[in-house]
Amino acid sequence: DRRGVWRYLAAWIFPVFCLGCGLPGVALCAACAPGPAERTTGMVANVAVTAAGSYDGLLRRAIVAMKHGERAYLDPFAGLIAGTIAPGVPLVPLPTSRRRRAARGFDQAVELARRAARRQRSGCCDVLLKRGIAQRGRDRRARLAAGGRFALKRGAALPEFAIVVDDVWTTGATLADGIATLRAAGVA
């Protein structure tokens, strides 16, 4: 099959090594990836939030690489996300802008949610559209004050309840906006 041939060629032409230890064949190996003890938790918009790890050090370098278009981190990150969610619960990704998606060649939150959903035998409900300008470069107050970042896709089949997936949790502003949009549509 063509995908198998492409994977073989891609691994040979574009070899991947763990960002932490240099292990071949994986962008972030199990030994270098954050473990369950490194998860961080909190509350955003009265919803419990779990992050796979703190946004610093090796994890931050890997996330930044992914945000710059490196797809090799998608599967390791999806595994981290899958380890924090209950099987069978639909996942709703918080998408990036069309401009960012075009620059990267993919939408990282959508890809992470799809891959994590496959691992947990859940559904991925890509029902939101990104509106407005990027958060990057804004200070905390400006991020928290901004609103209306998301809209529902026309005709989207909404789940009754869902887990929201984003690639990075810093101030919680993007999560709060996504949660508000889903709540307004009746999604728990």
Side-chain angles (χ1 to χ4, degrees):
D1 105 2
R2 288 182 186 172
R3 278 190 238 174
V5 171
W6 171 246
R7 275 191 221 113
Y8 173 78
L9 288 174
W12 185 67
I13 297 169
F14 308 108
V16 174
F17 298 92
C18 176
L19 186 61
C21 67
L23 182 72
V26 63
L28 192 62
C29 74
C32 294
E38 296 172 78
R39 292 179 184 153
T40 58
T41 60
M43 296 293 286
V44 172
N46 294 316
V47 173
V49 177
T50 301
S54 295
Y55 186 55
D56 59 20
L58 180 63
L59 185 58
R60 181 184 176 126
R61 287 177 39 217
I63 290 169
V64 169
M66 179 188 65
K67 284 179 163 285
H68 284 105
E70 181 54 62
R71 294 170 186 256
Y73 296 101
L74 291 169
D75 282 329
F77 288 160
L80 293 174
I81 292 168
T84 67
I85 60 174
V89 178
L91 305 181
V92 174
L94 297 181
T96 191
S97 67
R98 275 187 261 175
R99 190 176 126 252
R100 293 287 224 196
R101 186 176 54 245
R104 284 186 193 112
F106 63 97
D107 185 314
Q108 72 279 0
V110 172
E111 282 301 314
L112 291 170
R114 284 181 183 156
R115 292 167 192 233
R118 272 195 300 264
R119 288 173 181 251
Q120 289 297 77
R121 291 178 171 65
S122 302
C124 177
C125 302
D126 185 10
V127 298
L128 296 174
L129 291 172
K130 177 74 184 254
R131 300 189 312 192
I133 63 173
Q135 293 283 70
R136 187 172 161 208
R138 290 181 165 186
D139 65 17
R140 180 177 177 77
R141 188 172 41 191
R143 286 176 183 229
L144 293 170
R149 289 177 193 87
F150 299 100
L152 294 172
K153 288 182 178 179
R154 190 178 312 239
L158 298 174
E160 183 180 334
F161 56 90
I163 293 174
V164 177
V165 175
D166 201 3
D167 60 346
V168 175
W169 165 34
T170 51
T171 64
T174 304
L175 282 168
D177 237 6
I179 291 166
T181 301
L182 292 169
R183 278 184 175 151
V187 179

Short mmCIF file of all heavy atoms in Angstrom, two decimals, residues 16-29 32 58:
data_model
loop_
_atom_site.label_atom_id
_atom_site.label_comp_id
_atom_site.label_asym_id
_atom_site.label_seq_id
_atom_site.Cartn_x
_atom_site.Cartn_y
_atom_site.Cartn_z
N VAL A 16 13.75 10.56 12.27
CA VAL A 16 13.28 11.21 13.49
C VAL A 16 14.07 10.67 14.67
O VAL A 16 14.33 9.47 14.75
CB VAL A 16 11.77 10.94 13.68
CG1 VAL A 16 11.28 11.49 15.00
CG2 VAL A 16 10.97 11.52 12.53
N PHE A 17 14.43 11.57 15.56
CA PHE A 17 15.15 11.20 16.77
C PHE A 17 14.50 11.91 17.95
O PHE A 17 14.04 13.03 17.82
CB PHE A 17 16.63 11.62 16.68
CG PHE A 17 17.36 10.95 15.55
CD1 PHE A 17 17.44 11.55 14.30
CD2 PHE A 17 17.94 9.71 15.74
CE1 PHE A 17 18.10 10.93 13.25
CE2 PHE A 17 18.60 9.08 14.69
CZ PHE A 17 18.69 9.69 13.45
N CYS A 18 14.52 11.25 19.10
CA CYS A 18 13.95 11.84 20.31
C CYS A 18 14.65 13.15 20.61
O CYS A 18 15.89 13.23 20.64
CB CYS A 18 14.08 10.89 21.49
SG CYS A 18 13.48 11.60 23.04
N LEU A 19 13.87 14.17 20.86
CA LEU A 19 14.39 15.50 21.16
C LEU A 19 15.21 15.50 22.44
O LEU A 19 16.15 16.27 22.58
CB LEU A 19 13.22 16.49 21.28
CG LEU A 19 13.55 17.95 21.45
CD1 LEU A 19 14.34 18.47 20.25
CD2 LEU A 19 12.28 18.76 21.62
N GLY A 20 14.90 14.60 23.36
CA GLY A 20 15.60 14.57 24.64
C GLY A 20 16.88 13.75 24.63
O GLY A 20 17.94 14.24 25.01
N CYS A 21 16.79 12.50 24.17
CA CYS A 21 17.94 11.59 24.29
C CYS A 21 18.54 11.15 22.96
O CYS A 21 19.58 10.50 22.94
CB CYS A 21 17.53 10.36 25.09
SG CYS A 21 16.30 9.32 24.26
N GLY A 22 17.87 11.47 21.85
CA GLY A 22 18.40 11.09 20.54
C GLY A 22 18.02 9.70 20.08
O GLY A 22 18.50 9.24 19.05
N LEU A 23 17.15 8.99 20.80
CA LEU A 23 16.71 7.66 20.40
C LEU A 23 16.09 7.73 19.00
O LEU A 23 15.22 8.57 18.75
CB LEU A 23 15.68 7.13 21.41
CG LEU A 23 15.14 5.72 21.16
CD1 LEU A 23 16.23 4.69 21.47
CD2 LEU A 23 13.92 5.47 22.03
N PRO A 24 16.52 6.88 18.08
CA PRO A 24 15.96 6.94 16.72
C PRO A 24 14.54 6.39 16.65
O PRO A 24 14.15 5.54 17.43
CB PRO A 24 16.92 6.06 15.91
CG PRO A 24 17.58 5.17 16.89
CD PRO A 24 17.59 5.89 18.20
N GLY A 25 13.79 6.94 15.69
CA GLY A 25 12.47 6.42 15.37
C GLY A 25 11.30 7.04 16.10
O GLY A 25 10.16 6.74 15.80
N VAL A 26 11.57 7.93 17.07
CA VAL A 26 10.48 8.57 17.80
C VAL A 26 10.90 9.99 18.16
O VAL A 26 12.05 10.23 18.51
CB VAL A 26 10.10 7.75 19.07
CG1 VAL A 26 11.24 7.66 20.05
CG2 VAL A 26 8.85 8.31 19.72
N ALA A 27 9.97 10.92 18.05
CA ALA A 27 10.29 12.33 18.31
C ALA A 27 10.40 12.64 19.79
O ALA A 27 11.12 13.55 20.19
CB ALA A 27 9.23 13.23 17.68
N LEU A 28 9.68 11.89 20.62
CA LEU A 28 9.72 12.07 22.07
C LEU A 28 9.47 10.70 22.68
O LEU A 28 8.34 10.22 22.70
CB LEU A 28 8.63 13.07 22.50
CG LEU A 28 8.70 13.60 23.91
CD1 LEU A 28 9.99 14.37 24.17
CD2 LEU A 28 7.51 14.50 24.20
N CYS A 29 10.54 10.07 23.17
CA CYS A 29 10.42 8.70 23.68
C CYS A 29 9.72 8.70 25.04
O CYS A 29 9.60 9.73 25.70
CB CYS A 29 11.79 8.04 23.77
SG CYS A 29 12.82 8.61 25.13
N CYS A 32 11.67 10.26 27.93
CA CYS A 32 11.83 11.72 27.93
C CYS A 32 10.51 12.47 28.02
O CYS A 32 10.47 13.63 28.42
CB CYS A 32 12.59 12.16 26.67
SG CYS A 32 14.30 11.58 26.64
N LEU A 58 12.01 20.60 27.86
CA LEU A 58 11.93 19.71 26.71
C LEU A 58 10.52 19.68 26.11
O LEU A 58 10.36 19.71 24.89
CB LEU A 58 12.35 18.29 27.13
CG LEU A 58 12.32 17.23 26.05
CD1 LEU A 58 13.30 17.57 24.93
CD2 LEU A 58 12.65 15.88 26.65
#
